[in-house]
Amino acid sequence: MWADMMNVQIPLLDKVLRTVLVYAGLAILLRVAGKRDLAQLNSFDLVVMLLLSNVVQNAVIGPDNSLTGGLLGAVVLILLNSGVVRVSNRYPRLLRLFEGSPTVLVSNGRPDNVALRKLGLRRSDVIAACRQQGADDLEEIKEATLTPGGTISVTLTDESRDVTIHELRAEIGQLRTELLQAIAGQAAGTAGGAAGEAPAG
């Protein structure tokens, strides 16, 4: 049993090549498919991402179910990814080639319908994602950008930011007032109790 677990059933070079080729294939597919799948803005995108790992599993492991083979594949994946990330960070052109560039989805409160159609995004999904970033309405958004990593970055207009800061300051002021009143009430109660307990002269 131990031998079955540890003995790799295919040549090591075969295992390494399978892992590298699947990694490269997935990287190309995700680059071609665009940032939309990475963003997972709806349940369909999530299903695709969940199934991708299952679909390519057999291509990575091949006819080998050994523990050693699985660990070797994992090591190759981690080292390969680490190398790609380090090289990409050193050379910005490669980073743009691998990941692409950010896409503006909303500008000055108006959605870019051409960009939404190109990415295959629904307006309602974008609005929901922007709300999670603190925008209550599209008119509050100065710019919303879909990054190459699939996240939506939202910049609020100056007015909306000022309102948010003003509301926050007002809430802090109210909490401070309530706290001071509670402390004063507690101090008055303590002083009254102490006076009641003082012995009569």
Side-chain angles (χ1 to χ4, degrees):
M1 181 181 94
W2 185 255
D4 291 338
M5 286 176 59
M6 302 307 292
N7 290 338
V8 182
Q9 298 156 9
I10 61 175
L12 292 180
L13 182 60
D14 188 349
K15 172 68 75 176
V16 171
L17 284 175
R18 282 173 174 273
T19 306
V20 170
L21 291 174
V22 168
Y23 178 91
L26 280 178
I28 292 168
L29 282 173
L30 289 174
R31 178 68 178 89
V32 170
K35 300 173 280 284
R36 182 209 135 136
D37 287 324
L38 293 173
Q40 296 179 22
L41 294 178
N42 58 51
S43 55
F44 301 113
D45 297 330
L46 178 61
V47 168
V48 168
M49 294 305 289
L50 288 173
L51 289 176
L52 264 179
S53 60
N54 214 21
V55 167
V56 300
Q57 177 185 355
N58 289 338
V60 172
I61 64 172
D64 173 40
N65 291 320
S66 68
L67 181 63
T68 306
L71 290 174
L72 175 64
V75 168
V76 170
L77 268 178
I78 291 171
L79 291 177
L80 180 61
N81 187 62
S82 177
V84 168
V85 169
R86 287 170 192 270
V87 171
S88 299
N89 288 338
R90 287 190 68 180
Y91 303 100
R93 287 185 182 178
L94 278 179
L95 187 62
R96 281 195 300 273
L97 176 67
F98 285 131
E99 292 191 348
S101 55
T103 304
V104 176
L105 303 177
V106 180
S107 180
N108 296 320
R110 294 182 181 174
D112 187 336
N113 293 321
V114 174
L116 294 181
R117 274 196 302 273
K118 185 177 177 183
L119 292 169
L121 294 173
R122 294 182 301 191
R123 183 174 169 164
S124 58
D125 292 332
V126 173
I127 292 171
C130 290
R131 283 192 179 134
Q132 291 176 353
Q133 298 290 326
D136 293 328
D137 192 72
L138 283 180
E139 293 177 359
E140 296 181 358
I141 299 173
K142 184 176 182 180
E143 186 175 86
T145 307
L146 182 61
T147 66
T151 58
I152 291 183
S153 173
V154 175
T155 304
L156 297 176
T157 60
D158 294 337
E159 298 81 16
S160 300
R161 258 198 315 247
D162 289 343
V163 168
T164 305
I165 292 170
H166 178 70
E167 289 174 353
L168 186 59
R169 285 182 180 156
E171 286 182 21
I172 290 172
Q174 184 179 354
L175 287 172
R176 184 173 179 270
T177 303
E178 290 174 3
L179 182 61
L180 290 173
Q181 288 173 350
I183 291 171
Q186 187 177 18
T190 304
E197 292 174 3

